[in-house]
Amino acid sequence: MAAKEKKAQEKVKVTFEVPLDCMSCVEKVNKQMAFEKGVKDLKCDLANKTVTVTYRKDQTDIEKLREGFAKIGYKNLKIHETTM
Amino acid sequence: MNKYIVTAIFAIAWNIVHSQVTGVVKDQNKLPLVGATVYWEGTSQGCVTDSKGEFSIESTGSGNVLIISFIGFETQKVSPPKNHKVQVILQPDSEVLADINVVSRDKGAHESRISIIQTTKLTGAELCKAACCNLAESFTTNASVDMSYSDAATGAKQIRLLGLSGTYVQMMAENMPAFRGLASVYGLEYIPGAWMESIQVSKGSSSVINGYEAIAGQINVEYKKPENSEKFFVNGFYNSELRHELNINSSLRLNEKLSTMILAHFKDGDKAVDNNDDGFLDMPMIKQYNFINRWNYANGKYQSKYGVKVIDESRRSGQIAFYNDDASAYGINVETRRYEIFSKQALVFNNHTGHSIALQASGSNHEQNSFYGNRIYEATQKNAYLNLIYQNIINDNPSHEYSIGTSFMFDEYDERLNSENFIRTEKVPGIFGQYTYNGNDRFTFLVGLRGDFHNEYGFFLTPRLHSKYNVNDHIHLRASVGMGYRSANVLAENSYLFASSRQVEITEKPEQEKALNSGLNATFFLPVFDKDLTISTDYYYTKFYQQVMADVDSDPRKVSFYNLDGISYSHSFQAQANYEIVRGLSLTAAYRITDVKMTIGDELREKPLTNRFKGLITASYQTPLKKWQIDFTSQFNGGGRMPTPKRDLWEEEYSSYTIFNAQITKYFRKWNVYIGSENLGNFKMDTPIIDAVNPGGDNFDASMTWGPVHGRMIYGGFRFAIDRE
């Protein structure tokens, strides 16, 4: 049971390539993605134009996160890196 | 180690294969812009500038135009020559009227790195750290500005800067003088928190472009603007004293050129609270309706703004019995109605050089009808203001910038205190010129001079000088010196003294107040564990050549107004440190010492009811996803001197005290809710009103106030916003 619970809470880190142009885009992403289900941490990198999302595997997945980005106009985002 | 060698080799190899375009991005004062975005047109290939404003970007075959953008500045396109370092100077956004748009909200209050004048900017994020129901309450997390309690009855809130009273601080709304004269006593409560986009607090004499009145400093408020504010915003607030407030903002972009916004505020505190059982209300019952409608129009080179503002406020205080139909009890009633119009027009000939001409215009009518027991005070003020500014650079060289212009200020006061009438008209035409040198990255200076002709006080000159020197990236130094003048509005500014049995005595015609302010500021940005520890120290000295004294010392039965005969000065030294200890947790600690003395009667004495020191510690924590925010502030207020006691009714000194405030905010996608407490430690003055049981007697005095009258206050509220796409 305990092992199952632990597995359920497993976190995954995924880095999307997001065409961030300015601080207000970062603000927009922070506001939108923070409230997507399962999102545990967020790091926007304006210099490298990436957003790293840490999420709970049992609550969301990359497709759902992509849908979240799409709501604020960032569609079909490429994945830069995934860390389990 | 091997890793570094490999990286270095790789980097060198990369540079050989790919040619790089390097450059530096600076602002109009030639100071580096950190974090500006640089990218090739038509691609997503780009970078941001580093801490020196420098960037390096790989050349690309497809595009040869670089786009450089930064918040608050005009976006620029450049075609960089190959193998050359480019220098890009960004000009402030099309707003030639010097509006600053603060979009970044991750840090609430920041010391401006680039401004020549020492300026702290409080953004929307900072204003959300406390209830901040209005401008007067917005400085609880700020070390420089003090909120003082002018009396225990009317609830008038006064700010202080450098230990000097708020009347020596030039108040501005969107860079136009605001809340002068009659409005100076309650004016800070006329700007609701939900209306403000940001507040800029600058110390010392400021630019001559805005007039000659700034002596201790300047506070400018930027209202929310139709083009970048939420489409719809509502804020509700409720506190344990049953005061409730409602703010509704709505902005509408009618088309590309025209936008409009409505800001509406309603406040009602209708409960008579007397927790200290002295028979007097601890806080006045205030009902306020406050409304702005503003319009912005921008068509190519022409930009304009228009607005109207209406305030209606009723403030009732005094003895509880007065509100229980006891006509013989002591009552206070202040009814205020104020109308304002404002407009700004600008023609921008060249965005890059700032070549432009702008006209600011405003007008107001302020009416106050009030009584304080048997004392009746009725006053009206009509004001008109015009300011024409022409700005350009010399010989196409952006290092030499100048502004010239002309202004006209008109005030008509009509006051009546019991049966005495005081009528005064002021007409002040003036001209000004200001020159800014920003010859190299490190040294900038600004010199300004204005000449004004006052119909009562004649011609006078206002010279001002500000300079800034960046020793390196980590040490910035500033120095300033300048004159300031103002006309004292003896009755209006001291109307809170009417809540006492003191006789009001005006022994001579008030002269124009005149002071010299000089200051030094050193700011250090020290990298500590990858983060900047910011330490800011400043010292300001203000010397009055002429001042209108409100003497409550020489005779405890009177308040006498006369012209300074002797000396009057203020020394203020402040040190402040900010640091983000761990991700999300930032700390601010500040300490200030003030020494304010003046010749009262024949003796040089400390200014009464003025704190000798102030300490401030704020801690602010935000969870990684900014869903929760916790703020804690503690203020240590130094003791000071009381006015000469009357028959031992009060002490000669008051001791220091500490105030704690805390707030928790929970953010949702469109909502946020907050709950907090002001004066958590429940500290209050034992006897805020002298001889409260006998307001008709000789000893009654509600103006001997140095600390909080009411204790702990719990509040809660919500904010709901529909953002712009």
Side-chain angles (χ1 to χ4, degrees):
Chain A
M1 187 67 189
K4 198 181 168 189
E5 222 162 68
K6 199 184 167 199
K7 198 182 172 191
Q9 298 217 349
E10 230 176 278
K11 286 177 193 167
V12 182
K13 233 184 207 182
V14 56
T15 303
F16 292 96
E17 290 179 13
V18 186
L20 300 169
D21 286 335
C22 56
M23 277 307 290
S24 64
C25 308
V26 171
E27 205 48 47
K28 213 157 107 183
V29 168
N30 277 332
K31 240 177 154 177
Q32 169 71 24
M33 296 310 292
F35 295 101
E36 288 295 309
K37 198 185 165 196
V39 173
K40 291 290 144 199
D41 200 1
L42 266 177
K43 263 182 199 135
C44 290
D45 186 339
L46 187 60
N48 295 312
K49 292 182 189 290
T50 59
V51 177
T52 305
V53 184
T54 309
Y55 65 93
R56 261 178 61 174
K57 223 176 156 182
D58 59 320
Q59 290 183 339
T60 189
D61 55 45
I62 286 176
E63 272 325 295
K64 281 185 190 149
L65 294 175
R66 275 213 177 97
E67 281 167 27
F69 277 108
K71 283 181 203 154
I72 46 168
Y74 297 115
K75 290 180 182 156
N76 307 319
L77 294 180
K78 273 188 202 158
I79 303 230
H80 185 76
E81 185 174 32
T82 316
T83 331
M84 290 290 185
Chain B
M1 188 65 194
N2 279 340
K3 206 165 88 183
Y4 294 116
I5 294 167
V6 172
T7 313
I9 292 169
F10 186 72
I12 292 162
W14 182 265
N15 270 315
I16 292 165
V17 178
H18 295 85
S19 67
Q20 294 278 319
V21 173
T22 59
V24 59
V25 181
K26 294 177 180 178
D27 71 356
Q28 75 278 19
N29 296 328
K30 293 223 171 159
L31 297 166
L33 285 175
V34 183
T37 310
V38 182
Y39 63 98
W40 294 108
E41 191 176 41
T43 73
S44 60
Q45 190 191 343
C47 62
V48 284
T49 55
D50 64 14
S51 61
K52 290 176 184 158
E54 290 177 355
F55 68 89
S56 171
I57 185 169
E58 196 187 322
S59 294
T60 165
S62 58
N64 58 359
V65 175
L66 270 183
I67 298 184
I68 296 103
S69 65
F70 193 65
I71 295 162
F73 290 84
E74 284 281 318
T75 298
Q76 250 201 62
K77 292 182 181 183
V78 291
S79 306
K82 272 188 185 128
N83 305 323
H84 272 278
K85 200 174 169 181
V86 285
Q87 175 171 288
V88 184
I89 308 286
L90 292 189
Q91 294 298 329
D93 228 332
S94 49
E95 299 280 36
V96 279
L97 309 167
D99 287 351
I100 301 158
N101 293 323
V102 183
V103 181
S104 164
R105 281 168 199 271
D106 47 346
K107 199 176 171 196
H110 42 96
E111 304 272 319
S112 173
R113 278 198 189 210
I114 54 174
S115 170
I116 302 179
I117 302 170
Q118 189 192 356
T119 307
T120 306
K121 192 184 297 163
L122 312 180
T123 67
E126 182 72 8
L127 298 176
C128 287
K129 287 182 178 178
C132 294
C133 291
N134 54 54
L135 181 59
E137 296 174 9
S138 300
F139 302 107
T140 48
T141 52
N142 184 283
S144 304
V145 182
D146 303 335
M147 239 268 309
S148 70
Y149 309 83
S150 51
D151 71 298
T154 68
K157 282 169 181 148
Q158 298 279 299
I159 52 152
R160 286 199 177 147
L161 191 65
L162 314 179
L164 297 170
S165 71
T167 46
Y168 298 113
V169 181
Q170 187 181 29
M171 295 302 304
M172 314 265 288
E174 307 218 332
N175 287 301
M176 279 195 273
F179 304 115
R180 301 163 57 259
L182 297 187
S184 62
V185 178
Y186 304 112
L188 293 169
E189 289 175 69
Y190 296 160
I191 304 183
W195 291 13
M196 294 185 280
E197 183 185 80
S198 66
I199 305 170
Q200 289 101 38
V201 180
S202 44
K203 289 187 187 175
S205 63
S206 58
S207 157
V208 293
I209 292 175
N210 303 317
Y212 50 79
E213 286 181 339
I215 291 175
Q218 191 184 65
I219 294 178
N220 178 49
V221 173
E222 290 293 326
Y223 295 127
K224 288 185 177 172
K225 309 206 171 16
E227 65 272 18
N228 54 12
S229 294
E230 308 95 350
K231 271 188 195 160
F232 178 76
F233 173 86
V234 56
N235 162 231
F237 169 92
Y238 202 79
N239 77 9
S240 52
E241 308 297 340
L242 306 184
R243 183 179 101 193
H244 45 273
E245 298 195 7
L246 182 69
N247 290 290
I248 297 174
N249 304 341
S250 177
S251 67
L252 186 65
R253 244 185 261 176
L254 294 162
N255 55 45
E256 283 294 301
K257 294 169 185 163
L258 189 64
S259 54
T260 183
M261 184 160 197
I262 286 170
L263 301 159
H265 169 82
F266 170 68
K267 164 159 89 178
D268 190 12
D270 218 11
K271 195 186 160 209
V273 178
D274 178 23
N275 288 332
N276 57 9
D277 294 323
D278 62 358
F280 273 76
L281 273 75
D282 294 346
M283 277 191 291
M285 299 187 283
I286 303 174
K287 190 174 249 182
Q288 188 189 90
Y289 299 90
N290 202 339
F291 176 86
I292 287 188
N293 177 217
R294 59 180 305 172
W295 293 81
N296 280 15
Y297 177 80
N299 187 1
K301 292 183 170 176
Y302 174 70
Q303 300 161 15
S304 61
K305 299 178 175 189
Y306 301 90
V308 319
K309 189 172 179 200
V310 182
I311 299 159
D312 186 295
E313 188 187 79
S314 131
R315 181 179 286 265
R316 293 175 301 151
S317 189
Q319 284 185 304
I320 298 257
F322 185 79
Y323 300 96
N324 294 332
D325 294 327
D326 177 0
S328 66
Y330 187 93
I332 293 177
N333 192 345
V334 182
E335 301 281 338
T336 307
R337 180 164 284 181
R338 182 182 170 93
Y339 301 98
E340 268 177 60
I341 48 168
F342 62 88
S343 123
K344 294 174 181 182
Q345 326 262 340
L347 206 51
V348 186
F349 306 111
N350 187 331
N351 264 330
H352 301 304
T353 61
H355 185 198
S356 63
I357 187 160
L359 177 70
Q360 304 177 315
S362 69
S364 67
N365 184 66
H366 188 108
E367 215 178 295
Q368 178 181 335
N369 293 311
S370 48
F371 62 82
Y372 307 77
N374 293 326
R375 232 190 290 242
I376 294 169
Y377 175 66
E378 288 175 348
T380 56
Q381 180 189 3
K382 289 182 170 61
N383 167 266
Y385 172 70
L386 279 174
N387 197 19
L388 184 70
I389 311 157
Y390 176 81
Q391 192 182 321
N392 204 356
I393 51 174
I394 299 169
N395 284 339
D396 283 334
N397 184 345
S399 299
H400 306 282
E401 200 182 281
Y402 70 93
S403 301
I404 49 168
T406 176
S407 68
F408 181 67
M409 181 68 92
F410 171 87
D411 284 294
E412 188 185 271
Y413 293 92
D414 184 348
E415 297 170 282
R416 186 167 74 86
L417 180 63
N418 291 336
S419 58
E420 261 186 290
N421 261 307
F422 302 86
I423 294 170
R424 194 171 92 237
T425 305
E426 294 189 32
K427 293 173 195 162
V428 194
I431 52 166
F432 58 84
Q434 178 173 288
Y435 165 78
T436 313
Y437 169 79
N438 27 49
N440 58 46
D441 297 359
R442 289 174 144 197
F443 182 63
T444 54
F445 76 86
L446 181 157
V447 55
L449 180 69
R450 61 179 297 140
D452 291 88
F453 185 81
H454 192 290
N455 60 318
E456 292 271 328
Y457 305 123
F459 180 78
F460 57 98
L461 283 173
T462 314
R464 286 176 184 176
L465 175 72
H466 296 267
S467 61
K468 182 169 188 277
Y469 177 68
N470 299 350
V471 179
N472 53 41
D473 285 349
H474 306 296
I475 305 172
H476 293 185
L477 305 175
R478 288 184 180 89
S480 74
V481 57
M483 293 296 298
Y485 302 81
R486 66 184 292 279
S487 307
N489 301 290
V490 169
L491 296 177
E493 284 155 14
N494 297 288
S495 60
Y496 60 88
L497 291 170
F498 298 162
S500 72
S501 59
R502 287 174 189 266
Q503 295 289 311
V504 176
E505 186 183 72
I506 302 174
T507 55
E508 55 186 328
K509 192 172 170 251
E511 293 282 334
Q512 185 183 36
E513 297 192 299
K514 178 181 176 185
L516 178 76
N517 178 296
S518 42
L520 293 170
N521 159 239
T523 308
F524 307 90
F525 304 94
L526 309 171
V528 178
F529 300 115
D530 290 348
K531 280 173 190 140
D532 263 358
L533 165 69
T534 310
I535 297 175
S536 175
T537 56
D538 62 60
Y539 166 73
Y540 284 88
Y541 171 61
T542 313
K543 182 184 181 207
F544 283 89
Y545 293 94
Q546 191 52 263
Q547 190 176 20
V548 178
M549 312 295 292
D551 179 352
V552 287
D553 275 300
S554 301
D555 185 343
R557 287 165 304 177
K558 281 183 186 169
V559 48
S560 312
F561 296 100
Y562 52 83
N563 296 314
L564 174 70
D565 182 14
I567 55 173
S568 171
Y569 64 80
S570 141
H571 291 283
S572 163
F573 174 79
Q574 181 173 316
Q576 175 167 337
N578 303 73
Y579 190 66
E580 187 177 359
I581 294 179
V582 291
R583 185 180 167 199
L585 176 66
S586 27
L587 278 192
T588 301
Y591 192 76
R592 193 187 64 227
I593 308 166
T594 43
D595 175 22
V596 189
K597 287 199 174 78
M598 49 185 53
T599 307
I600 299 171
D602 294 324
E603 204 185 329
L604 182 67
R605 303 188 69 175
E606 218 179 327
K607 189 183 176 196
L609 302 170
T610 301
N611 293 338
R612 291 181 189 128
F613 70 85
K614 179 183 179 179
L616 181 85
I617 293 177
T618 70
S620 180
Y621 178 70
Q622 211 170 38
T623 57
L625 293 174
K626 296 183 187 169
K627 287 184 179 177
W628 289 91
Q629 168 140 355
I630 301 164
D631 290 285
F632 182 79
T633 308
S634 49
Q635 262 180 38
F636 312 96
N637 299 281
R641 183 178 78 83
M642 293 293 290
T644 308
K646 183 183 187 179
R647 293 188 217 121
D648 296 326
L649 282 168
W650 63 84
E651 304 289 320
E652 288 190 355
E653 295 263 321
Y654 64 94
S655 41
S656 54
Y657 62 96
T658 307
I659 300 279
F660 302 103
N661 299 320
Q663 183 179 299
I664 299 174
T665 313
K666 169 80 173 109
Y667 288 89
F668 302 97
R669 207 187 282 267
K670 285 187 160 59
W671 289 84
N672 67 65
V673 291
Y674 54 97
I675 180 164
S677 174
E678 278 172 16
N679 198 356
L680 203 54
N682 202 23
F683 176 82
K684 51 189 170 185
M685 285 178 70
D686 290 334
T687 323
I689 299 176
I690 310 297
D691 203 17
V693 287
N694 187 15
D698 283 355
N699 294 333
F700 169 71
D701 200 333
S703 65
M704 297 295 105
T705 315
W706 48 265
V709 176
H710 64 92
R712 183 187 305 121
M713 198 263 284
I714 310 284
Y715 62 86
F718 70 90
R719 304 183 186 94
F720 171 79
I722 299 176
D723 284 338
R724 210 155 267 300
E725 292 305 310

